[in-house]
Structure formats: structure tokens, C-alpha cells
Amino acid sequence: MIEFYSDSPETTEKIGQKIAKALKGNEVIAMYGGLGMGKTALTRGIAAGLGTEDCVSSPTFALVNEYEGRCKIYHFDMYRINGIDDLYAIGFFDYLDTGVLIIEWSENIADALPDDCITIKLRAGNDENSRVINVEGVDV
Ligand SMILES: Nc1ncnc2c1ncn2[C@@H]1O[C@H](COP(=O)(O)OP(=O)(O)OP(=O)(O)O)[C@@H](O)[C@H]1O
Ligand SMILES: [Mg+2]
């Protein structure tokens, strides 16, 4: 387990880039943390670190956005997902092992996550722009 401290969205993106360096290309990254904690900002950094030049935006309405870097990157937002039937409906399981899956609101699909996924928990720090980012399951 490793814990990072961020004092700005830019720092959070840099932390994401650092995490990306440790990825092989087929991991599942389960992100936890409430509204506005920086999950999308961190995803932006991971995607950039994996080599995509595309602009990463929140997939809240699309459910999944796809990017191409040194591997495929699938960015999910499970905010509106409730249960396993919804996951089958969006074809979630077909994505496993075909690229890096980054999942916002993993709270909502906890039972369906692979045992070996990387867990990232984001929480507020002491002031408005500070965040504590806890990473487990990968050697960063
Ligand atoms: N240290 C920080 N790291 C990341 N974001 C920060 C930080 N400090 C302030 N912010 C602000 O917090 C917000 C984070 O937004 P972001 O969309 O990344 O969060 P999120 O966790 O994906 O939210 P949601 O649950 O709505 O998907 C942005 O408005 C950003 O400017
Ligand atoms: Mg988000």
C-alpha cells in the first residue's frame, strides 16, 4: 500500500502518470471516493501516462469511454449502475483482460470486481484542494 498527497488537480494527474508506469496493460483499477474527489483527474493522468493524447472526460452518461495508448484504456463510470444485470447489459465482463479498465464508483459493483484488481481510494485532505490517494495492489 502506498499513500500519495495531492494539493491540486495537476498534482493528482502527475500521481496518475506515476501509477501508469507500473501497469502492464491488462489491469483493473477500482476507484473509490465520493463526488469531486478527483477520480476523473487521476484517470486523466493514468491515461496520459499510458500514452493516449486524447482528452479524457467523465463517462457519466456514456458509461464507458475508450482510449488508445500503449494499450487500450476503458474508463467506466458506475455511478448509475446497480447490480450485475446492468453490468452484463453494458458488456462489462467482455472488457476484462483486453486493456486497462479504470472504474469510477466501484462501490456500486464491488461484488463483480476481480480479486486481483488494483484499489485506489481518494479522500479529502485538510483543505479544499488537498486529497489523500491510497493505492493498493500494484508496486508504484
Ligand atoms: N488535489 C486535487 N486533485 C483533484 N481534483 C481537485 C484537487 N483539488 C481540487 N480539485 C477539484 O476537485 C474536482 C475533482 O473533479 P473530478 O471530476 O476529477 O472528481 P471525481 O471524483 O471524478 O467526481 P465525480 O464523482 O463527480 O465523478 C475538480 O473540480 C478539481 O478542480
Ligand atoms: Mg468522475
Side-chain angles (χ1 to χ4, degrees), residues 14-121:
K14 288 209 179 87
I15 292 166
Q17 297 202 19
K18 201 170 151 68
I19 294 168
K21 287 202 181 110
L23 300 175
K24 291 197 305 266
N26 62 351
E27 289 88 346
V28 176
I29 302 179
M31 289 194 184
Y32 300 84
L35 280 172
M37 280 302 113
K39 300 178 293 296
T40 300
L42 188 66
T43 300
R44 200 168 282 135
I46 295 173
L50 287 171
T52 186
E53 285 171 15
D54 297 336
C55 167
V56 171
S57 60
S58 174
T60 300
F61 298 102
L63 294 174
V64 57
N65 287 342
E66 184 177 332
Y67 305 99
E68 183 90 52
R70 67 170 157 89
C71 59
K72 293 267 190 197
I73 303 145
Y74 301 103
H75 180 199
F76 290 89
D77 191 320
M78 302 303 188
Y79 190 68
R80 287 178 172 72
I81 292 284
N82 280 302
I84 203 120
D85 289 347
D86 282 1
L87 280 182
Y88 279 110
I90 64 167
F92 173 75
F93 300 100
D94 300 332
Y95 290 93
L96 295 170
D97 259 318
T98 66
V100 170
L101 278 62
I102 306 174
I103 304 170
E104 296 197 29
W105 292 100
S106 290
E107 289 91 337
N108 291 349
I109 65 153
D111 293 343
L113 290 167
D115 292 335
D116 62 350
C117 68
I118 296 168
T119 300
I120 302 186
K121 293 179 181 152

